[in-house]
Amino acid sequence: MAGRRPRQTPWRWERWLGWIVPLAMALTPAHAAERITLSYGLLERSISIETLEQFSASEDIPQELKSYTRAFTPEQVEQFRQLLRTRFDLSPVGISQFLYTDQGEALLEQLGAVVRTESGRSGSRALRAALVLAAFDPEGLTPLTVLQHFPLDGLQIDLTQTSQIVAQVQRQVTQTQRAIAAIEAEADESIDNTPSPNFSELPQLERRGSFRIDQYTFELVDTERDRTFAVDLYLPVLELNQPPPPIVVISHGLGSNRDTFAYLARHLTSHGFAVAVPEHPGSNTQQLEALIEGRAQQVTEPSEFINRPLDVTRLLDELERRAQQDPTLRGRYDVQHVGVMGQSLGAYTAFALAGVPLNRTQLAADCAATNTITFSLNLSLLLQCDVLNLPIPDQLNFRDERVKAIFAINTVGSSLLDRTALAQVDIPVMVVSGGADTVTPALPEQITPFSQLAIPDRYLLMMENATHFSAIDIPEGETATVTLPSELVGPSPAIAHQYLTAFSLAFFGHYLQNDGSLENYLTPAYARYLSQPDLPIDLVRNFSPGVLSLVEAIPLNR
């Protein structure tokens, strides 16, 4: 039986808390300004930019800075120093384009409530200029170069607002940690009370299967929507008289492409699945590149929330047509038994196809409440609230009856998808969550929606230290459109990929291939068997009343 794993110190939430005030300082100082004024009510103190430059360039703490760092641990002081030096490889055009998108404007507005001009006005416009100028700097865009290029004579940091942000972030972090600890305890109880096999003696699901793979690429033209997109189709080479296998559709996330999850496509196909991977134009790598190069005005258009599930339905229609008309594809897949696997916006796509409708009234209420909040760790709300700009009805349902199971990684949609409809989902669901995800945070975007599911065949896989980017793969020979700092990528993505290959095979194999032997792998004990110290995981199927009351007591997106 799997043993109880040692409790881990959260990998990055603790660091975020130590950085909140320094980050507010680092993102807001001056070019012509020589000093930053910190205000708290009627009290004011200031610190020079030169002091921060000296601190960044040496291992010593300048005298002027010591009064600010007394409350820091040595580790937090060093983290602050490294933060000032952290380089973001973004082009001036790219950063400028993003800051003029709806999402960029919203972020600047939040920062501008804390960073003000000498006259007390929002510093959002000056921040935009400083960020763009810093991207031109030979040293690159770092928090320190932003300070050095701030275009006004002086600025103020509102510590009253900053303290409110810190308190809010502390509350969000504490709530998430409590929920993750409760999930671990739930898994512990299941492991202690349920017999389990010796998994080392069973087939290792993360290993490649025996099927050879045929791969096809074709372009799908949807004249009704004036939308054209490419599709990669992976097919197992079947033995004579083998029945056609079920299809798994993999829907990539925002800024990704068909190659991002090719490792999962090949793995599943090697075990006998047909896999189709569409590229969603308007929310793929090309869209992100167009934004960075100045050829697009938005990170993504809100219409992508409509187009993505329609892409999958149109793809299934096309696969059905081709199986009937193309002899080379006849009998190669079963389009009536489909699983959908997605990450981020792709996970939203999976839930939409499972029959959870868009709820405009709920979204409007959530977005109105969020506008009164200075800071939120849930960055995905910036995208969700954009859907209010679309002329759509109060309810919009994309249910495709051919979809029989969904596997949702870092899902987004806590405000957009109808929360009351989650209890009506009638197909198996696996939700994968990252405890260090600040784009689609675990608590509002995955843990709470999971608690609202009612179907018995539901699973929550919690990767405690994983970020929003842990599941993503950049194939050899390709380069990322945006190079992310290691803190955002998170620890050991290769381990996360191993978990996903194993659990996606167990899940779809059990529910689409009707392989009863795989049920043993969909257990807390198997998750604990696979779990590695750098990236601990737990799996639960439901919450006890105590855990459920904890989750229900937490205000959504607050």
Side-chain angles (χ1 to χ4, degrees), residues 292-519:
I292 291 172
E293 294 169 5
R295 296 181 286 107
Q297 300 301 315
Q298 297 292 341
V299 174
T300 187
E301 296 294 338
S303 57
E304 280 300 291
F305 284 96
I306 311 300
N307 278 318
R308 279 172 153 265
L310 294 177
D311 286 346
V312 176
T313 290
R314 181 66 184 86
L315 169 59
L316 295 179
D317 293 342
E318 178 66 11
L319 290 175
E320 189 168 15
R321 184 191 70 80
R322 288 180 179 240
Q324 294 170 353
Q325 298 182 4
D326 186 343
T328 63
L329 297 179
R330 192 170 297 133
R332 300 291 301 273
Y333 49 78
D334 179 2
V335 80
Q336 299 304 318
H337 290 84
V338 178
V340 177
M341 184 178 196
Q343 189 262 345
S344 192
L345 275 183
Y348 151 81
T349 304
F351 267 106
L353 290 162
V356 184
L358 277 63
N359 186 324
R360 184 184 178 89
T361 302
Q362 171 189 283
L363 178 65
D366 284 3
C367 294
T370 303
N371 285 339
T372 67
I373 300 173
T374 304
F375 185 84
S376 173
L377 283 178
N378 193 350
L379 299 180
S380 75
L381 287 177
L382 299 175
L383 291 175
Q384 294 182 61
C385 292
D386 268 359
V387 176
L388 293 173
N389 295 321
L390 297 177
I392 59 173
D394 286 342
Q395 292 272 335
L396 197 57
N397 199 318
F398 297 100
R399 177 71 173 111
D400 192 314
E401 297 294 337
R402 294 168 293 191
V403 175
K404 308 301 184 186
I406 64 169
F407 193 103
I409 308 166
N410 308 123
T411 188
V412 55
S414 61
S415 292
L416 177 59
L417 292 172
D418 190 334
R419 292 189 282 271
T420 63
L422 286 165
Q424 277 72 59
V425 173
D426 59 0
I427 60 175
V429 176
M430 179 170 283
V431 175
V432 181
S433 183
D437 187 344
T438 56
V439 179
T440 58
L443 189 55
E445 295 297 333
Q446 292 105 46
I447 296 174
T448 300
F450 173 80
S451 72
Q452 295 163 336
L453 294 168
I455 185 170
D457 299 309
R458 64 187 185 274
Y459 306 86
L460 173 65
L461 177 63
M462 172 56 66
M463 299 195 290
E464 184 175 326
N465 297 335
T467 75
H468 194 70
F469 308 98
S470 296
I472 293 173
D473 181 49
I474 300 176
E476 188 175 350
E478 293 190 14
T479 57
T481 303
V482 176
T483 302
L484 297 172
S486 59
E487 294 288 344
L488 288 180
V489 174
S492 307
I495 299 176
H497 300 171
Q498 177 182 324
Y499 296 155
L500 293 174
T501 56
F503 276 104
S504 62
L505 176 58
F507 179 76
F508 287 125
H510 182 55
Y511 289 107
L512 294 184
Q513 292 178 328
N514 299 315
D515 187 343
S517 68
L518 294 175
E519 189 171 12

Side-chain angles (χ1 to χ4, degrees), residues 529-545:
Y529 166 75
L530 277 187
S531 184
Q532 298 188 36
D534 285 347
L535 197 63
I537 59 171
D538 277 304
L539 181 79
V540 293
R541 293 194 62 166
N542 48 56
F543 292 150
S544 68

Side-chain angles (χ1 to χ4, degrees), residues 112-156:
V114 175
V115 182
R116 300 180 180 277
T117 66
E118 283 187 302
S119 61
R121 296 181 178 179
S122 169
S124 59
R125 292 186 179 181
L127 274 174
R128 178 190 284 126
L131 287 163
V132 174
L133 290 169
F136 277 106
D137 193 286
E139 296 297 320
L141 194 159
T142 70
L144 186 58
T145 58
V146 173
L147 310 182
Q148 294 165 339
H149 289 285
F150 201 85
L152 299 180
D153 290 338
L155 62 93
Q156 296 179 353

Side-chain angles (χ1 to χ4, degrees), residues 35-48:
R35 303 187 69 83
I36 309 165
T37 299
L38 307 177
S39 63
Y40 190 85
L42 297 177
L43 301 177
E44 290 188 351
R45 295 188 66 178
S46 67
I47 185 171
S48 71

